Amino acid sequence: MDIEQLKQYILCYSLNNCPLGNQGFNRVLIQLMGYLGHGKSSLINSCKYALHDKEFTTHAASGSADGGLTTVRNAYPLTHTITMVDNRGCATLNSFETGEFYTQLANFVPLNTGVEWTKEFDDVLNRLEDSDIEPNFSDIIVPVYVYSVKREIADNEVAELKTFLKTCRDLTGIFPIIVLTHKTSGPFSKFRDIFEGMGAEEIFSVENYTQEDNLKTLGRHLQFLNLIHKVLLNVNFRMSEERNPRKERAERKKFLHKFFHEREVKK
């Protein structure tokens, strides 16, 4: 599709038009994850800029390469159906940080609330139980992992990151889409090979628009529109089979209980 066709497809997208209808879902959440300062907030600004084609605006505040600004799971709607979700960047991807990401991907964390690396077992369980007061069954979450090619991946990180990405896939039914940022500042082809070795199915390399560099070009706009389009293709594929939102949420809750119990035993 050309750029105008991509825009129209995204702007008019509705879960009602999926092969079996919406099946109880009404929103697509594009959940961003990754390390501090790797470009998650800038990616949101870039996607909104490419889709709505207005003057560049800083919707999500972005930080420097060594420390992000986001501490809240902020929601940024792209359309009535599609919302991008910013996230607090992690520092080491330890079990406390991954536990928070899993809880979000399982849809047990409200949007626009602070992100904390919860360490106490009782606090975690109370949080899960509190979420059942007003449970959310209606979001389809697509995980997107953002990584800057400016940062090397240590050998000991590869196995941990591979496990993390696979768990995200098991929770959502979609393997995380990888977005490599700062593509002109490092060997992005090297990182593409590394993430492919982890099982990644979709990898995008982008140069985010910024306040200092926001000259619109066809190639950059297409990068971000194709990313959103790929998210929706993954949703369509998952929605081509029968779904039960309540049952799926219950299964995700079982996973979280097991994960946090095992984490507590190891601690």
Side-chain angles (χ1 to χ4, degrees):
M1 289 188 281
D2 63 28
I3 192 166
E4 291 304 321
Q5 290 173 321
L6 280 168
K7 285 184 181 180
Q8 286 305 307
Y9 181 86
I10 295 167
L11 292 171
C12 297
Y13 183 84
S14 172
L15 290 167
N16 296 330
N17 296 329
C18 290
L20 301 178
N22 64 46
Q23 301 191 70
F25 297 100
N26 60 28
R27 181 169 60 176
V28 175
L29 296 185
I30 305 174
Q31 176 66 71
L32 305 186
M33 303 173 293
Y35 287 107
L36 289 163
H38 276 227
K40 296 182 294 297
S41 300
S42 295
L43 180 62
I44 290 173
N45 294 331
S46 298
C47 286
K48 289 181 74 71
Y49 186 38
L51 181 60
H52 298 291
D53 210 25
K54 299 177 180 178
E55 292 186 4
F56 181 82
T57 302
T58 302
H59 300 276
S62 57
S64 63
D66 57 359
L69 295 177
T70 304
T71 58
V72 176
R73 191 181 180 226
N74 287 318
Y76 297 92
L78 296 179
T79 71
H80 291 301
T81 303
I82 310 164
T83 293
M84 295 191 77
V85 184
D86 206 352
N87 214 331
R88 177 180 178 180
C90 60
T92 62
L93 206 63
N94 59 36
S95 63
F96 299 113
E97 295 170 335
T98 56
E100 172 66 25
F101 290 146
Y102 296 154
T103 306
Q104 294 179 13
L105 292 176
N107 229 1
F108 282 83
V109 180
L111 296 177
N112 302 313
T113 57
V115 176
E116 298 181 5
W117 314 128
T118 307
K119 297 184 178 182
E120 298 301 325
F121 186 61
D122 288 343
D123 291 342
V124 171
L125 294 186
N126 289 337
R127 189 181 185 189
L128 293 181
E129 295 306 318
D130 288 345
S131 69
D132 285 339
I133 297 174
E134 295 183 9
N136 182 349
F137 305 103
S138 59
D139 291 335
I140 294 180
I141 298 182
V142 179
V144 173
Y145 190 80
V146 181
Y147 195 93
S148 171
V149 302
K150 291 182 178 181
R151 181 188 184 278
E152 289 291 334
I153 300 180
D155 292 340
N156 65 320
E157 289 181 278
V158 173
E160 294 176 355
L161 188 50
K162 182 177 181 180
T163 299
F164 171 69
L165 295 175
K166 180 181 181 298
T167 304
C168 293
R169 182 206 68 177
D170 294 343
L171 271 172
T172 63
I174 299 172
F175 199 99
I177 296 173
I178 308 299
V179 177
L180 301 175
T181 58
H182 306 112
K183 73 172 186 177
T184 61
S185 301
F188 74 85
S189 58
K190 168 187 172 181
F191 290 93
R192 179 183 294 273
D193 291 342
I194 292 174
F195 278 99
E196 283 183 347
M198 296 181 194
E201 300 171 354
E202 303 291 347
I203 304 174
F204 289 82
S205 53
V206 305
E207 192 69 45
N208 282 325
Y209 285 112
T210 64
Q211 197 64 55
E212 297 74 30
D213 179 15
N214 55 59
L215 177 65
K216 290 185 291 187
T217 65
L218 176 61
R220 287 174 88 177
H221 262 42
L222 283 173
Q223 289 173 354
F224 303 111
L225 294 175
N226 279 320
L227 169 62
I228 302 169
H229 181 244
K230 186 61 68 174
V231 166
L232 300 180
L233 290 183
N234 273 276
V235 172
N236 289 345
F237 182 78
R238 292 286 291 126
M239 292 294 288
S240 64
E241 53 192 29
E242 290 188 4
R243 308 284 300 274
N244 184 325
R246 293 177 180 272
K247 183 178 179 180
E248 290 176 18
R249 187 180 189 277
E251 291 300 318
R252 292 194 297 268
K253 187 175 181 180
K254 291 177 185 177
F255 166 85
L256 292 176
H257 273 285
K258 180 180 178 183
F259 173 84
F260 289 120
H261 174 74
E262 292 177 349
R263 189 182 77 177
E264 183 69 9
V265 171
K266 290 179 181 179
K267 188 177 70 170

